[in-house]
Amino acid sequence: MQAGATDARRAAVLGSPIAHSLSPALHRAAYEALALTGWTYDRFEVDEAALPGFVDGLGPEWAGLSLTMPLKRAVIPLLDEISETAAAVDAVNTLVLGEDGRRIGDNTDIPGMVAALREHGVEQVDSAAILGAGATASSALAALARVCTGEIVAYVRSEARAAEMRQWSERLEVEVRIADWTDAAQALGFPLVVATTPAGATDALAAAVPERPATLFDVLYDPWPTELAARWSMFGGAVVSGLDLLVHQAVLQVEQMTGRSPAPVEAMRKAGEHALAARRDGRP
């Protein structure tokens, strides 16, 4: 049901830690652009232990929640329904409350990745590489299943990470070749490289960027650019950033929670850019 412009509705992002989240800036910008004057979007510090009580306390004014770490898996037992996309990676980043009070879980990270790539002209590739095998790598693998028609290679640091990636490969029914991190420079020659590693982890690879790189999807957005992304751009390659992902997954959340479509992508992007600039400058 489409939300009215003056309906008093609430939404929020939960996680721990949560003070860094850009979600309030993105969602509030969307509400303003859509003239949803009665809507509010907040952030709450909530850990796994506190999550059931928080969700049980949601009243009829609540439209939904955005969920970040460590809640993406912890919320699943609290749901009445979960999308196939979220079930595939065992991670929910979106909880929508239906009119009947049903709790519906979804994962907008995966289609958000696909949308961010499409925005940069990447519809399909014949091979791809993933740098890292942490929590984000499973979503990256699920997204690549939709855009990559050939080989996917994951470069990992340990056998434990390799085992995790093999499990995700089997679960998602996507064939993945595992390679050691010491050979990660080889990944940079692929048509699409998805970096899912923490800040600083790919800095040493910047010197290995080829003269004509293709597309890099670096899921980080703060600090930005990473050394790898900066070098990639300098050599003329296409770069998709973590902010692109954040915006597109939030776009899908706004559409689900408000019933309004399309969500205002550019207004949300500008709000994210402004919030990041303010953070870098030490402004509120």
Side-chain angles (χ1 to χ4, degrees):
M1 179 177 179
Q2 182 168 295
T6 57
D7 290 343
R9 304 301 307 277
R10 297 187 68 184
V13 59
L14 313 184
S16 183
I18 199 61
H20 68 287
S21 176
L22 293 181
S23 292
L26 302 181
H27 285 252
R28 290 168 185 169
Y31 298 164
E32 182 178 357
L34 294 170
L36 295 173
T37 55
W39 283 66
T40 59
Y41 189 99
D42 302 296
R43 62 164 68 89
F44 292 95
E45 183 84 16
V46 176
D47 61 15
E48 293 169 279
L51 182 62
F54 190 99
V55 172
D56 286 343
L58 298 176
E61 75 278 13
W62 281 87
L65 300 172
S66 306
L67 300 158
T68 187
M69 299 304 292
L71 306 179
K72 293 184 178 184
R73 184 171 295 178
V75 74
I76 293 176
L78 309 177
L79 302 173
D80 298 305
E81 181 181 334
I82 183 172
S83 70
E84 290 184 7
T85 301
V89 292
D90 203 21
V92 167
N93 77 330
T94 307
L95 189 161
V96 176
L97 294 166
E99 291 184 359
D100 56 358
R102 286 178 61 80
R103 302 166 183 170
I104 304 166
D106 194 13
N107 185 307
T108 64
D109 286 332
I110 295 165
M113 285 185 174
V114 175
L117 285 167
R118 184 180 300 119
E119 185 179 51
H120 285 76
V122 180
E123 298 275 354
Q124 191 176 88
V125 293
D126 58 17
S127 61
I130 300 175
L131 296 174
T136 308
S138 60
S139 293
L141 184 58
L144 286 177
R146 304 184 183 190
V147 301
C148 183
T149 60
E151 183 182 46
I152 299 173
V153 183
Y155 292 83
V156 303
R157 290 185 180 276
S158 67
E159 182 52 42
R161 290 298 195 186
E164 288 180 25
M165 186 56 78
R166 291 189 187 99
Q167 290 176 353
W168 284 117
S169 172
E170 293 175 5
R171 180 167 182 164
L172 294 168
E173 298 181 344
V174 180
E175 188 172 345
V176 179
R177 179 165 64 87
I178 307 299
D180 192 88
W181 186 262
T182 55
D183 296 322
Q186 296 177 10
L188 308 187
F190 279 72
L192 174 60
V193 183
V194 184
T196 68
T197 49
T202 62
D203 287 357
L205 296 176
V209 173
E211 290 188 3
R212 289 188 171 184
T215 300
L216 170 69
F217 193 159
D218 195 325
V219 302
L220 294 173
Y221 61 84
D222 187 19
W224 187 261
T226 63
E227 289 192 25
L228 180 61
R231 181 86 169 179
W232 201 276
S233 294
M234 186 176 72
F235 276 59
V239 175
V240 186
S241 74
L243 181 59
D244 293 320
L245 167 59
L246 194 65
V247 168
H248 281 285
Q249 65 82 28
V251 161
L252 297 169
Q253 290 183 336
V254 168
E255 291 175 351
Q256 290 187 32
M257 293 181 194
T258 68
R260 297 290 187 88
S261 182
V265 178
E266 289 310 311
M268 295 170 72
R269 190 193 316 278
K270 289 179 181 177
E273 291 171 345
H274 178 78
L276 282 175
R279 183 180 299 178
R280 286 193 296 267
D281 296 341
R283 293 182 281 119

